[in-house]
Amino acid sequence: MNSLSEHLSVLELDETVLRRVLARALGRGGDYADIFAESGEGRSLRWEESCVKNAALILTRGAGIRVLQGEKTGFAYADELTEEALMRAADTAAHIASGGGVDPAEFAKAVNGRGDYYQPVRPMEGVELADKIALLERADAAARAVDPAVEKVNASLYHEYRNIIIAGSDGLITFDTQPMVRFNVGVVTGKDGKREMAGEGLGGRRGMETLEGDRPEALARKVADMAVRKLDAEDAPAGAMPVVLGAGTSGVLLHEAVGHGLEADFNRKKTSTFSGRVGEQVASPLCSIVDDATIPGDRGAINVDDEGSSTGRNVLVENGVLRGYMHDRLSARIMGVERTGNGRRESYRSPPLPRMTVTYMMPGKSEPGEIIESVKDGFYAKSLGGGQVDIARGDFVFAVTEGYRIRDGKIAELVKGATLIGNGPEIMGKVEMVGNNLELSEGMWTCGKGGQSVPVGQGMPSVKVGEITVGGTKT
Amino acid sequence: MSIREIAEKTLNAAMAAGADEAEIFVREHREFQTTVRMGEIETLKEAESKSLALRVYKNRCKAVVDSSDFRPEKLEKLAGEAVGLAGVTAPDDFHRLPEPELYADTWPDLDLLDPQEAPSTEKRIAMAHRAESAAMEVDDRIDNSMGGNFAQSHGDMLIMTSNGFTGGYPFSVYSLSAVPVAKDSKGDRSRDFWFTRALHAEDLMDADEVGHRAAERALRMCDARRAATGEVPVIFEANAASRLVAMLFGCISGSAVWRKQSYLGDRLGEQIASEKISIVDDPLRPRGLGSQPFDSEGILAKALRVVDGGKLAHFMHDLESSRRLNQPVTGHGSWGGGVAASNLYVENGEGTLADLIAGVDRGLLVTGYMGSGFNTVSGNWSQGVEGLWIEGGKVAYPVKGATIAGHFDAVLKGIDAVAGDLDFSLGTKIAPSLRVISMTVSGE
């Protein structure tokens, strides 16, 4: 769907209704109001015990209405898209406003500058069911062929699309259709009374083409191989030591250590460790970090944010110097800067917040091999899982899903999963080498904030950090 | 349409479309939430919504649909789609409704709905305001805040199955919290929170008390240091000990067991924890945060002693896992799929948190977590924590940026003291303060 009228017709809305609802929302006063209407469909197939065990369909439809006045946000939503239901929600959202009604602007005929960052070649909606099931079956067979220790293989395929319309009282009305596909494999292995598990996914705002060739098999083999090797993993070390972060999934370090702290809501409230530090050195001069919604087909890419703002590539840190924050409409207005297109929400049931899109570190000059060779005794975090950050202090953690000891400049034994913990600004100051091998992670990252989950992307070259605390058991 | 009409209409449509069996869950609720920050309303959210989940079975094949689209013509279409989807899945003998004799036919009133009129919007805003300002007033070092928050939800739910079960109940839940930010002597910020949650408004902790506790927690973390690396006793204050119960639940859920995703999968009847540990799931506590008269599959709820003196007595099952493992049903089905606990708690021991601390010469008191690093399959645990360092039986100074690690089996068996401070208002998976004889703490 490529026009506003098609989107309006799917949602059974028209511009005059939207304008009446916005007028009602601003009926008591307010600086701005908007309507975020959405209809989406998600489908999943779950493979278990070597057959399709479950098929699911998820339908989403509704609208959220928001009124802003000063730093206040009034918000309400409705599952029904009738004028009556929207008017009720508008009245509720208006509760925070005072000072007298305001008229919304006429809708401008030209829509906002939208990107075009996802063009599925073979949209999943058109793919035959049998072809989808074959992906799962092939992954299962490939995983089972890896080793007799493979006991259980799970796989799932999920795809969705979301049609959204954002109508603002500033006269901006825009729309988007956002596709997403996700293919996951999980393997449980057992040997000599020990048991292990590994799992990974791939996908993005793409179509069936992302699962072409032997990609399902390759993913399944990788996961099964990891679950087999983990059976013989040694105990992880405990204590502070030099750490090399592998390219790709280590982007989660940026996401936690820096990214969240640069979301503008925390900074306008001065609750972030990075508050008031634009222009200051906040990381080693080797570090340049961007948030970029324009990576084609990435899970975190968006053509337009959930407030109708244009998205783009925003430099957060340049050669270690903090350049700016990620903004939604509210924070940009209060802090008196341009919007950056980072206003995102989980669904019509939540108001937007400043959120990341695709966050990564620019490549440096070091060869990945020489980075490992430079460490006498340390830890190689090849692959990372989820993490968390305490915004106020900047302390963060993340889970290592594949980690090795480094001894005498060489990658040594695989060790059990361990948590790495550190302080964002401190760790970023200790970045000693940055590789020339930037990789965007294909992992299926989902970021949680304020109870809302949104899909994000991340990437990283190989990076050496002088010291991080490794949370193993071996002292 | 009422939720009963929606349930009947959709269930009938699924049967008419050719389902052998079907079950539906419909829920409606009205939610309200407000955050007051630095004395001003920051957000106010209010909405009414419904949700629906339909499961259909045809030739022992299963499909599930979820929807927030309640247009009548769409409900019928949805039911038809569900039956079509079931044709895609493989037959499985475990995919069928409960035998009707398993259904609850009468159930107790657990007082899950507050009969009093909900506080006015102004009163709700005032409570959030009070919780925040009480925190701000405690000490000058508290110079910022992420706000006071008040939330409430009132609703009604209904489960209906094609083989004879219909049951539902109304519910309410309130919560109030404060998140103050303190600035320490080095200018570093320290943030913490406290909360209260209850099904009835009258059971909420006083807003001043919420604010004061939040402030005390933020202040005690000021000027935190790094911990030393080593093996020491670790105490979990009650609020943090809850995490251990949640982790254990992940390993005794029948769904994890049949999928071989639990290190406890073949340990039924064995000693899995210190003999000081007994764990009960009690869905029938009046006004309990996790209470329910029957589970999502219509099976009558009853209390279950899952761990008795450290011995693993039962796994917790939904219908599918009890059938797969050929074990008795326990009434722990959930609509999200899989197994859910109700009020799962470690029984009280004796004494106070201070008594536990007094017994430690050098160790760590865990008061909060960062991240999650538990592997249910292997039992390995590595976890970011913050807390208070203990020297000579007393709290010495706050520590941050530390991890604790160990095998969960050794952690549970190493519990050498259980306090008597269990607090049911802390959540649905809870424990009194616990002491573990030794874990690896990693810091400097």
Side-chain angles (χ1 to χ4, degrees):
Chain A
M1 294 205 306
N2 241 332
S3 72
L4 178 60
S5 59
E6 282 174 288
H7 277 76
L8 286 166
S9 120
V10 164
L11 292 162
E12 294 172 9
L13 291 169
D14 66 58
E15 293 188 33
T16 52
V17 170
L18 293 175
R19 205 155 170 276
R20 281 201 293 270
V21 173
L22 286 172
R24 182 77 154 256
L26 292 176
R28 291 165 56 108
D31 307 322
Y32 173 79
D34 61 15
I35 303 169
F36 175 91
E38 159 179 23
S39 85
E41 183 179 305
R43 288 177 181 270
S44 80
L45 293 171
R46 193 160 55 82
W47 179 274
E48 201 164 15
E49 315 265 281
S50 296
C51 56
V52 178
K53 271 288 143 73
N54 196 23
L57 167 66
I58 301 136
L59 299 178
T60 313
R61 188 181 166 86
I65 297 180
R66 172 174 70 146
V67 176
L68 299 179
Q69 187 168 47
E71 298 196 33
K72 294 191 184 95
T73 299
F75 182 77
Y77 64 82
D79 300 326
E80 285 174 63
L81 295 177
T82 58
E83 182 166 356
E84 188 197 348
L86 295 177
M87 285 295 197
R88 258 201 319 269
D91 284 337
T92 306
H95 188 90
I96 52 110
S98 58
V102 198
D103 279 335
E106 292 288 341
F107 289 129
K109 284 299 152 213
V111 296
N112 197 30
R114 290 176 56 226
D116 191 9
Y117 308 127
Y118 21 91
Q119 300 123 1
V121 182
R122 289 180 63 200
M124 294 304 295
E125 288 68 38
V127 175
E128 291 290 328
L129 201 58
D131 292 344
K132 294 195 244 174
I133 293 172
L135 299 173
L136 300 165
E137 195 170 3
R138 282 162 47 200
D140 180 83
R144 288 182 192 279
V146 166
D147 195 285
V150 172
E151 290 187 341
K152 296 264 179 192
V153 179
N154 305 317
S156 64
L157 176 66
Y158 174 79
H159 59 89
E160 67 169 25
Y161 67 85
R162 193 161 89 124
N163 295 315
I164 60 171
I165 289 182
I166 306 119
S169 63
D170 56 357
L172 178 76
I173 181 163
T174 188
F175 62 90
D176 197 19
T177 298
Q178 303 174 331
M180 185 69 79
V181 57
R182 187 172 75 205
F183 185 76
N184 281 84
V185 177
V187 171
V188 175
T189 50
K191 197 175 66 180
D192 307 333
K194 282 192 286 192
R195 198 160 269 146
E196 264 299 350
M197 179 164 63
E200 208 173 303
L202 59 82
R205 297 200 187 278
R206 300 188 173 100
M208 188 68 172
E209 68 279 5
T210 198
L211 297 165
E212 259 162 18
D214 72 340
R215 297 203 77 203
E217 285 90 345
L219 177 69
R221 281 193 289 265
K222 183 180 171 197
V223 170
D225 177 62
M226 192 64 231
V228 170
R229 287 194 294 129
K230 277 168 92 173
L231 289 166
D232 297 318
E234 311 266 333
D235 286 338
M241 62 192 73
V243 171
V244 176
L245 300 159
T249 59
S250 303
V252 67
L253 171 114
L254 294 183
H255 183 99
E256 303 298 349
V258 181
H260 279 297
L262 297 181
E263 290 167 339
D265 47 346
F266 300 119
N267 288 286
R268 78 176 166 83
K269 299 174 194 173
K270 300 189 168 50
T271 52
S272 165
T273 183
F274 293 106
S275 300
R277 298 188 62 190
V278 173
E280 289 181 25
Q281 192 84 31
V282 297
S284 141
L286 299 173
C287 299
S288 291
I289 302 166
V290 298
D291 182 77
D292 187 351
T294 73
I295 304 284
D298 196 282
R299 186 171 158 81
I302 40 176
N303 289 335
V304 60
D305 78 0
D306 295 331
E307 303 180 291
S309 301
S310 304
T311 55
R313 177 179 185 277
N314 294 294
V315 177
L316 305 175
V317 174
E318 190 176 16
N319 302 326
V321 177
L322 179 57
R323 290 298 177 209
Y325 304 121
M326 288 168 278
H327 289 278
D328 62 0
R329 179 181 281 270
L330 181 65
S331 69
R333 175 167 51 79
I334 292 168
M335 296 179 79
V337 297
E338 292 287 311
R339 307 206 290 260
T340 59
N342 289 93
R344 303 185 65 191
R345 45 179 133 201
E346 179 177 276
S347 76
Y348 68 91
R349 292 186 174 181
S350 305
L353 294 171
R355 304 296 294 263
M356 285 172 258
T357 61
V358 185
T359 314
Y360 56 92
M361 182 183 282
M362 299 299 290
K365 294 201 169 65
S366 302
E367 291 295 332
E370 76 177 313
I371 296 180
I372 297 283
E373 281 160 25
S374 75
V375 178
K376 183 156 170 46
D377 182 19
F379 187 77
Y380 175 43
K382 184 174 180 203
S383 180
L384 301 179
Q388 194 186 334
V389 63
D390 173 342
I391 298 296
R393 260 206 299 259
D395 292 344
F396 67 92
V397 296
F398 46 76
V400 179
T401 52
E402 183 177 357
Y404 301 82
R405 284 304 299 260
I406 305 176
R407 297 179 198 281
D408 294 322
K410 291 195 178 64
I411 295 172
E413 73 273 17
L414 176 74
V415 299
K416 287 174 185 159
T419 294
L420 300 191
I421 191 161
N423 177 271
E426 238 175 79
I427 295 290
M428 296 314 291
K430 289 180 185 165
V431 169
E432 295 174 356
M433 296 172 92
V434 175
N436 54 14
N437 57 336
L438 170 65
E439 270 179 41
L440 290 175
S441 166
E442 267 209 279
M444 294 290 92
W445 302 98
T446 298
C447 169
K449 173 177 170 184
Q452 296 191 52
S453 297
V454 298
V456 293
Q458 52 204 11
M460 188 94 158
S462 293
V463 163
K464 177 185 172 187
V465 181
E467 188 185 88
I468 303 184
T469 296
V470 181
T473 52
K474 210 163 164 177
T475 51
Chain B
M1 274 192 291
S2 70
I3 59 173
R4 180 174 282 266
E5 285 164 343
I6 290 169
E8 276 170 359
K9 185 179 168 65
T10 315
L11 201 63
N12 289 340
M15 298 304 285
D20 296 336
E21 297 185 309
E23 53 186 330
I24 188 164
F25 172 88
V26 191
R27 180 174 185 269
E28 65 182 346
H29 80 140
R30 180 164 190 86
E31 61 169 315
F32 174 93
Q33 193 185 316
T34 189
T35 302
V36 172
R37 182 175 172 271
M38 304 306 272
E40 301 281 342
I41 296 176
E42 182 175 80
T43 57
L44 187 149
K45 171 178 174 178
E46 188 162 15
E48 269 177 68
S49 65
K50 290 194 192 82
S51 54
L52 164 165
L54 171 71
R55 280 185 206 154
V56 301
Y57 302 92
K58 185 179 168 72
N59 303 327
R60 299 278 147 94
C61 299
K62 183 175 84 169
V64 185
V65 295
D66 289 307
S67 181
S68 71
D69 188 346
F70 288 89
R71 289 173 294 173
E73 71 279 12
K74 295 291 175 185
L75 290 177
E76 269 181 43
K77 187 159 173 279
L78 190 74
E81 287 235 34
V83 177
L85 273 180
V88 171
T89 64
D92 186 326
D93 212 30
F94 301 111
H95 286 170
R96 57 199 149 87
L97 291 181
E99 292 74 21
E101 58 270 24
L102 288 174
Y103 286 136
D105 44 14
T106 56
W107 48 85
D109 176 2
L110 300 175
D111 206 9
L112 304 181
L113 175 71
D114 188 344
Q116 308 290 323
E117 198 179 326
S120 67
T121 301
E122 279 60 40
K123 178 109 192 287
R124 298 170 201 173
I125 295 166
M127 285 167 81
H129 191 174
R130 190 63 220 141
E132 183 193 44
S133 44
M136 304 286 293
E137 285 158 13
V138 167
D139 192 292
D140 285 345
R141 284 175 292 168
I142 296 179
D143 66 346
N144 202 341
S145 159
M146 295 175 88
N149 185 284
F150 175 92
Q152 72 170 66
S153 171
H154 279 73
D156 203 352
M157 57 78 81
L158 186 78
I159 295 168
M160 194 177 278
T161 72
S162 63
N163 67 347
F165 181 78
T166 301
Y169 50 86
F171 57 88
S172 56
V173 61
Y174 294 86
S175 69
L176 180 65
S177 63
V179 193
V181 180
K183 200 173 234 178
D184 67 21
S185 63
K186 290 175 297 214
D188 287 341
R189 294 182 176 90
S190 158
R191 175 194 71 168
D192 211 327
F193 73 103
W194 195 247
F195 69 98
T196 171
R197 187 179 302 142
L199 304 193
H200 291 235
E202 67 184 18
D203 296 334
L204 287 174
M205 181 188 284
D206 180 65
D208 283 296
E209 179 71 16
V210 171
H212 292 157
R213 287 206 196 182
E216 282 157 20
R217 293 179 67 87
L219 289 168
R220 72 179 181 180
M221 287 310 295
C222 283
D223 296 299
R225 306 181 207 168
R226 301 282 297 278
T229 297
E231 286 174 29
V232 293
V234 173
I235 298 172
F236 297 87
E237 67 168 18
N239 185 44
S242 305
R243 176 71 74 100
L244 277 68
V245 181
M247 287 162 57
L248 181 68
F249 170 72
C251 301
I252 59 173
S253 128
S255 150
V257 172
W258 80 258
R259 291 187 161 96
K260 297 191 186 290
Q261 290 175 357
S262 166
Y263 81 97
L264 292 175
D266 43 18
R267 303 271 297 275
L268 197 60
E270 291 180 22
Q271 195 78 25
I272 60 143
S274 146
E275 61 187 24
K276 294 181 189 300
I277 296 294
S278 291
I279 302 177
V280 174
D281 185 72
D282 183 2
L284 302 174
R285 289 181 58 80
R287 301 191 185 187
L289 290 171
S291 294
Q292 53 180 27
F294 47 83
D295 78 354
S296 72
E297 297 180 299
I299 294 165
L300 188 64
K302 57 179 194 294
L304 184 72
R305 204 174 177 80
V306 291
V307 174
D308 190 14
K311 279 204 176 63
L312 179 57
H314 293 279
F315 291 124
M316 298 169 72
H317 290 299
D318 63 359
L319 203 63
E320 181 177 351
S321 70
S322 74
R323 283 173 177 162
R324 284 189 190 278
L325 295 167
N326 196 22
Q327 291 176 5
V329 293
T330 61
H332 291 103
S334 87
W335 265 96
V339 175
S342 62
N343 301 295
L344 185 65
Y345 64 92
V346 175
E347 285 182 329
N348 259 330
E350 283 175 2
T352 63
L353 175 59
D355 295 336
L356 265 51
I357 294 170
V360 170
D361 183 43
R362 195 168 164 276
L364 178 66
L365 169 64
V366 173
T367 59
Y369 296 102
M370 287 191 67
S372 56
F374 181 49
N375 180 335
T376 59
V377 180
S378 67
N380 288 321
W381 188 28
S382 168
Q383 174 73 54
V385 295
E386 60 178 32
L388 303 168
W389 192 254
I390 301 167
E391 291 281 355
K394 290 198 176 61
V395 168
Y397 52 84
V399 294
K400 62 166 190 174
T403 64
I404 53 171
H407 194 280
F408 199 45
D409 194 55
V411 171
L412 292 177
K413 286 180 178 158
I415 292 172
D416 74 337
V418 178
D421 56 358
L422 185 67
D423 179 354
F424 280 95
S425 76
L426 289 178
T428 58
K429 297 185 182 74
I430 53 168
S433 299
L434 303 172
R435 185 172 66 206
V436 176
I437 203 155
S438 175
M439 289 187 75
T440 306
V441 172
S442 183
E444 284 183 311

